Amino acid sequence: RALAHAADLPLWQWIAEITGSTPRMPVPHFNVLNGGAHAANELDFQEFMIAPVNAGSMADAVRIGADVYHALAALVRDRFGSLGLGDEGGFAPSIAAPEEALDLLVDAIRTAGYEPGVDQVAIALDPAANEFSQGDGSYRVLNDSLDRDGLVDYYRHLIDTYPIRSIEDAFAEDDHEGFRRMQAALGDRIQIVGDDLYVTDPQRIRDGGEQQLTNAALIKPNQIGTVSQTLGAIATAKSIGMASMVSHRSGETTDTFIADLVVGTGTGQIKSGAPGRGERVAKYNRLTEIAEQHPELPYGLI
């Protein structure tokens, strides 16, 4: 921030110049339904997100996210009588099956007046498979034990049935064989993101690319530790043809650095929780502010 101030440049523009990136406004991935370690329900998967990939602008994207979030609130209230929130502002109703959560999202998207689809308002998942791994290459989902191929088949079933564009941490962080099978089977259909797998480490991302584990990496500045290492992780992913998604953390503040980071590096996608709770909304407000001040910046995935 100090260097950008000294150069009399907005932070995002300074980041773009030092990285040689083409800045762009990102597609936000709003975490609107929570399970796993983020919620006190029986849902094995941790995050269910909506992504307005076809919005005309950043302001439109935030409005769509807010519309769907409030439509979802009404559906959850009507069906479950409770509006408990998870760690990142998403609702945490008393459900267990991922399909129940996905049906809720599709209903909320339609209720809000939008079309669910991978090229319209898409869905993204973060199962956080560390939490339901059994440690031997098998996974427990809905009290069923699935081997690696069984879990890949289950993900295939979900993307055949719902408009899912991205799945993060589909396998446990040390299950490279599971990721390899997932990438081979589904990498040409969806974005497969490594988070716990890579921990924003440039060398781990490079290794993942060489081993064909995923086609995208999650980017968390305080996961690797420094801004320089964060920029190195994004550059490494780009150099091997891997996409990046900038992300917040579960324990957040109102700091908005990642909003400028995602615009300046032009990665095209960010996740920062639900469009609710001040520490999440701060990032979306900053993105909207940048877009209003610089309407020439393109919006969307790269």
Side-chain angles (χ1 to χ4, degrees):
R1 289 183 184 279
L3 289 165
H5 179 75
D8 197 27
L9 291 173
L11 180 55
W12 65 267
Q13 188 175 340
W14 184 83
I15 291 171
E17 291 192 4
I18 67 161
T19 59
S21 303
T22 301
R24 69 188 301 111
M25 302 307 303
V27 173
H29 290 60
F30 301 99
N31 179 12
V32 293
L33 275 175
N34 293 176
H38 285 182
N41 58 17
E42 298 301 315
L43 191 58
D44 293 310
F45 288 9
Q46 185 166 277
E47 297 180 12
F48 295 78
M49 296 168 271
I50 55 127
V53 296
N54 199 38
S57 67
M58 196 71 234
D60 287 343
V62 172
R63 185 187 68 249
I64 291 169
D67 287 347
V68 174
Y69 185 65
H70 290 294
L72 181 61
L75 289 175
V76 171
R77 186 186 297 109
D78 288 347
R79 296 179 187 181
F80 301 96
S82 171
L83 284 180
L85 297 182
D87 289 350
E88 297 179 359
F91 301 111
S94 181
I95 57 178
E99 289 89 343
E100 290 181 86
L102 290 163
D103 286 339
L104 268 173
L105 287 191
V106 168
D107 288 350
I109 292 167
R110 289 191 172 127
T111 298
Y114 303 103
E115 185 62 29
V118 292
D119 58 350
Q120 297 291 324
V121 180
I123 292 172
L125 306 179
D126 175 9
N130 278 348
E131 300 298 325
F132 53 89
S133 168
Q134 299 183 107
D136 58 356
S138 67
Y139 296 82
R140 184 159 292 280
V141 179
L142 279 177
N143 293 319
D144 286 336
S145 184
L146 303 175
D147 62 13
R148 292 184 179 101
D149 290 332
L151 188 55
V152 169
D153 287 342
Y154 182 60
Y155 289 135
R156 181 185 288 110
H157 158 69
L158 293 180
I159 67 174
D160 284 344
T161 309
Y162 301 96
I164 296 168
R165 70 162 301 270
S166 180
I167 300 181
E168 174 190 331
D169 281 354
F171 285 82
E173 62 189 22
D174 56 355
D175 190 355
H176 290 194
E177 181 58 29
F179 275 105
R180 190 177 293 109
R181 295 186 192 187
M182 178 81 168
Q183 174 65 19
L186 301 172
D188 60 343
R189 297 182 61 186
I190 63 167
Q191 176 174 260
I192 299 171
V193 185
D195 173 19
D196 296 337
L197 177 67
Y198 297 140
V199 291
T200 318
D201 184 283
Q203 187 57 54
R204 291 177 70 100
I205 292 170
R206 185 172 300 280
D207 291 346
E210 291 174 355
Q211 296 176 45
Q212 298 185 336
L213 303 185
T214 72
N215 53 27
L218 203 69
I219 304 296
K220 297 173 175 174
N222 77 339
Q223 190 178 49
I224 185 61
T226 70
V227 174
S228 297
Q229 290 168 308
T230 300
L231 297 178
I234 295 172
T236 298
K238 184 177 180 180
S239 72
I240 60 176
M242 194 181 284
S244 294
M245 179 187 287
V246 172
S247 174
H248 65 158
R249 303 303 299 271
S250 296
E252 265 291 346
T253 72
T254 55
D255 182 85
T256 61
F257 175 80
I258 62 168
D260 284 79
L261 174 69
V262 71
V263 174
T265 55
T267 64
Q269 47 187 346
I270 187 173
K271 68 171 193 171
S272 188
R277 298 176 55 144
E279 76 278 9
R280 317 293 161 183
V281 171
K283 281 72 165 173
Y284 300 127
N285 285 347
R286 174 59 181 155
L287 289 169
T288 303
E289 178 183 49
I290 295 171
E292 288 176 346
Q293 293 172 349
H294 298 273
E296 74 280 4
L297 292 175
Y299 167 86
L301 304 169
I302 57 174

